[in-house]
Amino acid sequence: MSKTILRALAGETQAVPPIWMMRQAGRYLPEYRATRAQAGDFLSLCYAPDLAAEVTLQPIRRYGFDAAILFADILLLPQALGADLWFETGEGPRLSTVTSAADLVRLKPKGAIHETLAPVYETVRILAGELPKDVTLIGFAGAPWTVATYMIAGRGTPDQGPAHALKAADRATFAALIDLLTEATVDYLSAQVEAGAEVVKLFDSWAGSLKGRDFDDFALEPARRITQALKVRHPGLPVIAFPREARGRYEGFAKATGADCVALDNSVSADWAAAHVQKDGCVQGNLDPAHMVTGGEALVTETRRIVRAFSGGPHIFNLGHGITPDADPDNVQRMIDAVRG
């Protein structure tokens, strides 16, 4: 096994951690902006395999990252399940809402997703053929709770309030939506693996707003079900889980779900995570994305500090969240040089 990401995911401690970056194909890169303009709009870019593969490859050509992550969006799955999806310029995604049992019944069954998502699988196939041989291809999906928050509210919300309200008022309908998303996500990620993805990542961007039993039922348990089902279908498949802002609940998450790696946001310190999370296996993270904007000596110092903190175990260097559109591409190179230097 020569790919450094796969070695880290298998539990190997490496002198220089492999590196990739969430949203590494994105608006901070001029070449991305040019390709997106060519596509016309964001969704058209997601569903155009040649162009989606091109933007996935751009940061690999520019920086030589150790992994490429499929260019897509977590809301393609609800669209494939029959939700209306569109993007308002400057405001983000909008969806038709699911707020009742009647709305849930109107969604398509999980087996119907592949017709809509076929272009995504084609993007994976293109990438599997075109990526350099030492670069790992990562597929991904949104975790059920996070995807559900968008489906229930019809948009992103600061506190996921509408989803929490439905969960409190009609737990049975809410749980049924989580179940549908859990099963559909298994099928979606499995199809990505069959098309050539070598690793999959589950993004639970709003996991931190679930507390106590709700965290167990709607963040941890779906991640466990998805991970276990994928490993039955694809023995040896590495899974990265990202329950963002889980804070103390990061501890034990890998053991409880079977994930091979836990990705960390920057609300926890690398020293704490090395003691409490890395003891169970690979960790990924967790430089504050703000450093990609501000740069300077602080970027280099903090990058080296994180590498040092995690040097005693398997580690994949990454940001604590996606790189932002206002980041300086030169700062990405500074970060890479600090990791590999």
Side-chain angles (χ1 to χ4, degrees):
M1 191 191 298
S2 59
K3 295 187 180 186
T4 54
I5 297 269
L6 297 179
R7 286 161 55 190
L9 291 167
E12 184 179 326
T13 304
Q14 296 169 85
V16 177
I19 179 169
W20 69 278
M21 193 170 66
M22 287 183 278
R23 293 207 192 115
Q24 63 190 25
R27 285 177 287 170
Y28 73 104
L29 287 177
E31 54 266 45
Y32 169 88
R33 295 194 296 271
T35 307
R36 177 161 166 174
Q38 187 184 340
D41 61 68
F42 178 74
L43 275 178
S44 298
L45 178 54
C46 290
Y47 285 122
D50 288 344
L51 298 181
E54 168 59 25
V55 294
T56 304
L57 290 163
Q58 286 167 351
I60 305 303
R61 292 191 201 111
R62 184 186 270 251
Y63 298 115
F65 285 119
D66 295 298
I69 186 163
L70 164 70
F71 182 82
D73 190 89
I74 65 167
L75 299 181
L76 303 186
L77 182 61
Q79 186 178 35
L81 286 166
D84 294 325
L85 172 65
W86 68 100
F87 281 75
E88 294 285 349
T89 306
E91 292 184 26
R94 297 286 185 274
L95 296 105
S96 55
T97 56
V98 177
T99 58
S100 67
D103 293 335
L104 187 61
V105 169
R106 280 196 288 271
L107 293 176
K108 296 176 183 175
K110 67 174 180 120
I113 64 173
H114 301 303
E115 185 181 351
T116 301
L117 296 169
V120 177
Y121 311 145
E122 181 57 26
T123 302
V124 176
R125 279 190 287 272
I126 293 169
L127 290 166
E130 292 196 8
L131 277 169
K133 294 300 173 217
D134 58 343
V135 175
T136 301
L137 177 54
I138 302 174
F140 79 93
W145 158 252
T146 289
V147 174
T149 67
Y150 287 94
M151 294 179 77
I152 294 163
R155 61 191 295 170
T157 54
D159 59 357
Q160 296 77 59
H164 286 291
L166 180 64
K167 173 164 57 68
D170 186 355
R171 199 172 178 96
T173 294
F174 178 81
L177 176 59
I178 294 289
D179 267 348
L180 173 62
L181 287 170
T182 298
E183 293 176 6
T185 300
V186 172
D187 285 357
Y188 180 36
L189 289 174
S190 184
Q192 291 182 34
V193 174
E194 286 164 8
E198 300 167 276
V199 176
V200 295
K201 181 169 177 179
L202 202 56
F203 284 86
D204 210 350
S205 303
W206 302 125
S209 74
L210 291 168
K211 306 298 178 199
R213 181 190 155 194
D214 284 346
F215 185 90
D216 292 331
D217 288 351
F218 301 125
L220 195 149
E221 180 60 15
R224 187 195 68 79
R225 283 174 60 192
I226 291 165
T227 300
Q228 298 307 317
L230 286 170
K231 286 176 177 286
V232 168
R233 291 191 197 184
H234 310 282
L237 174 72
V239 177
I240 303 171
F242 184 34
R244 190 169 79 92
E245 295 190 347
R247 299 187 184 271
R249 298 303 302 271
Y250 277 126
E251 185 170 5
F253 197 86
K255 275 192 169 167
T257 59
D260 301 272
C261 180
V262 176
L264 307 160
D265 66 87
N266 46 282
S267 70
V268 295
S269 76
D271 290 323
W272 177 85
H276 295 275
V277 187
Q278 198 181 28
K279 64 177 170 38
D280 292 334
C282 185
V283 292
Q284 179 181 283
N286 65 334
L287 181 70
D288 188 336
H291 285 291
M292 298 292 95
V293 181
T294 54
E297 196 50 44
L299 160 62
V300 175
T301 302
E302 184 63 7
T303 298
R304 288 177 177 159
R305 191 188 68 74
I306 291 168
V307 170
R308 241 185 347 264
F310 289 126
S311 61
H315 176 217
I316 298 167
F317 192 92
N318 207 311
L319 305 180
H321 198 33
I323 188 169
T324 53
D326 55 343
D328 182 346
D330 290 342
N331 287 332
V332 178
Q333 190 60 56
R334 289 187 190 102
M335 173 187 72
I336 293 168
D337 291 343
V339 171
R340 294 179 175 164

